[in-house]
Amino acid sequence: MKYLQLDTYRTFLEGYTQFLEKMAGDEKEKYAAIISYDVKRINRVVSNQQALNMHLAKMEQQREEEQSKAGLAGLSFQQIMERLEGQERETFDKLFRRFEQALYEIKYFNGKSMSFAQEGLQLLGLSDENNASPYDSSGKHLEGKQGVPFFETKI
């Protein structure tokens, strides 16, 4: 494996992992904002999350490109680990663990936020299909639908 390409991939992955760790912290903040019922705080984290989601899509696309340049296209982290030896393997093992932990935390806090929001919508009588998900995944408004798109967002 070419060292320079692998080193470039590792460097990118370190930055991506730091971004995901920040995003995990922001998901925790989103959950705290939702349970606080502080509208200004909720609006701030929602706005921030929208920007992070766009950046996440770009980071994931770049990860695929960098992984491909390193000769690892389409491989899982486990498959990459099987190709590495010595210090490279140890370095990537630690990095992949951080990456996976950040993803776990993002999903965990997003799930808690979604659950809390869904319970709130049910209490308000707004959880039926006619009121939920007024926007499609690309952000386009669906005719005849009303609701709160923030609570429908999942990572």
Side-chain angles (χ1 to χ4, degrees):
M1 202 173 295
K2 293 182 179 177
Y3 179 76
L4 182 59
Q5 291 170 332
L6 186 61
D7 191 47
T8 301
Y9 174 62
R10 180 192 48 77
T11 300
F12 169 77
L13 207 56
E14 286 172 351
Y16 191 6
T17 300
Q18 290 171 352
F19 170 75
L20 290 174
E21 290 168 339
K22 180 196 178 315
M23 200 169 176
D26 289 351
E27 280 296 323
K28 187 175 182 179
E29 170 61 22
K30 179 179 79 176
Y31 176 65
I34 290 171
I35 64 174
S36 76
Y37 296 102
D38 181 341
V39 176
K40 288 181 181 179
R41 187 175 175 193
I42 292 170
N43 285 337
R44 187 181 74 248
V45 297
V46 168
S47 177
N48 185 49
Q49 183 178 17
Q50 291 169 342
L52 289 174
N53 287 344
M54 290 186 337
H55 189 67
L56 177 63
K58 290 177 185 176
M59 293 287 287
E60 182 56 22
Q61 181 181 9
Q62 188 175 353
R63 182 201 58 79
E64 290 175 0
E65 291 170 9
E66 295 296 335
Q67 191 168 320
S68 181
K69 288 177 190 175
L72 305 168
L75 299 179
S76 68
F77 287 165
Q78 181 62 39
Q79 291 169 322
I80 293 171
M81 290 296 296
E82 291 170 0
R83 294 180 177 210
L84 301 175
E85 296 177 359
Q87 183 61 41
E88 279 183 346
R89 185 181 182 117
E90 186 178 322
T91 299
F92 272 89
D93 183 53
K94 289 177 185 175
L95 188 54
F96 290 157
R97 288 178 193 269
R98 281 181 49 213
F99 188 96
E100 289 172 341
Q101 180 64 33
L103 288 178
Y104 169 80
E105 289 176 15
I106 290 168
K107 289 177 183 179
Y108 175 78
F109 283 108
N110 190 34
K112 287 181 71 83
S113 296
M114 292 293 297
S115 177
F116 187 84
Q118 289 297 334
E119 289 173 13
L121 290 173
Q122 287 174 352
L123 289 173
L124 295 172
L126 299 173
S127 64
D128 66 334
E129 281 298 312
N130 291 331
N131 291 320
S133 194
Y135 298 91
D136 67 15
S137 61
S138 69
K140 293 182 181 176
H141 186 266
L142 298 173
E143 293 299 317
K145 296 265 185 164
Q146 296 177 348
V148 183
F150 166 71
F151 296 123
E152 298 297 320
T153 302
K154 284 190 179 182
I155 293 181

